[in-house]
């Protein structure tokens, strides 16, 4: 089983920053073998992939967050990160960590965490 646990969400003012973490349980080699991605979900809207990273460390972002968000991974600690800068109210969402398969231009999530809430408001 792959278990993912997110942390780091909270309330932040527009223009502020947050760093989300995702701790993966189990074998470190299994973590290294998987691509990872962050999704966000808000009620009434389609779930959006905001970043994913390959096993080789190549990252991909959609235009909505490119230049503001940075995804990274620490394979030795089986941990995924999402650094979010210049946050906007429209970034408010539940952010979910996933493990899956991907290349430079495609990603498919196989396992999902429970999510961590990010609220951007003045």
């Amino acid at each position: 089983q792959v278990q993912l646990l997110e942390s780091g969400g909270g309330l932040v003012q527009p223009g502020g920053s947050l760093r989300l973490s995702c701790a993966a349980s189990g074998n470190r080699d299994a973590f290294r073998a998987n691509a990872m991605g962050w999704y966000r979900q808000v009620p009434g809207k389609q779930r959006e992939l905001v970043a994913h990273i390959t096993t080789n460390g190549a990252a991909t972002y959609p235009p909505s967050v490119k230049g503001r968000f940075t995804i990274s991974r620490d394979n030795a600690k089986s941990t995924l990160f999402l650094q979010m800068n210049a946050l906007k109210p429209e970034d408010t969402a539940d952010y979910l960590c996933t493990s899956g398969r991907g290349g430079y231009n495609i990603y498919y999530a196989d396992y999902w965490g429970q999510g961590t809430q990010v609220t951007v408001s003045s």
Side-chain angles (χ1 to χ4, degrees), residues 11 29 32 43 52 62 68 81 86 88 90 99 102 111 114 120:
L11 176 64
D29 290 335
R32 290 184 60 190
H52 82 269
R68 300 187 298 118
F81 302 98
K88 305 174 181 179
E90 51 263 46
S99 173
Y111 301 97
Q114 294 299 116
V120 184

Side-chain angles (χ1 to χ4, degrees), residues 38 48-53 57-72 81-83 104:
W38 288 97
E48 179 185 23
L49 178 66
V50 298
H52 82 269
I53 186 167
T60 303
Y61 311 91
S64 58
V65 307
K66 194 171 187 177
R68 300 187 298 118
F69 289 12
T70 302
I71 189 171
S72 61
F81 302 98
L82 184 67
Q83 178 67 46
Y104 295 110

Side-chain angles (χ1 to χ4, degrees), residues 18-114:
L18 284 174
R19 189 173 81 149
L20 307 183
S21 298
C22 172
S25 65
N27 191 285
R28 291 192 297 272
D29 290 335
F31 180 86
R32 290 184 60 190
N34 289 107
M36 305 287 291
W38 288 97
Y39 283 82
R40 64 186 180 187
Q41 178 72 63
V42 299
K45 294 183 64 178
Q46 186 176 9
R47 181 177 293 157
E48 179 185 23
L49 178 66
V50 298
H52 82 269
I53 186 167
T54 70
T55 57
N56 294 324
T60 303
Y61 311 91
S64 58
V65 307
K66 194 171 187 177
R68 300 187 298 118
F69 289 12
T70 302
I71 189 171
S72 61
R73 62 193 296 164
D74 185 338
N75 289 338
K77 296 182 178 181
S78 297
T79 304
L80 180 73
F81 302 98
L82 184 67
Q83 178 67 46
M84 304 184 294
N85 299 324
L87 284 163
K88 305 174 181 179
E90 51 263 46
D91 295 320
T92 296
D94 189 30
Y95 283 74
L96 298 97
C97 173
T98 68
S99 173
R101 293 159 284 159
Y104 295 110
N105 303 118
I106 193 168
Y107 178 75
Y108 181 83
D110 295 311
Y111 301 97
W112 295 76
Q114 294 299 116

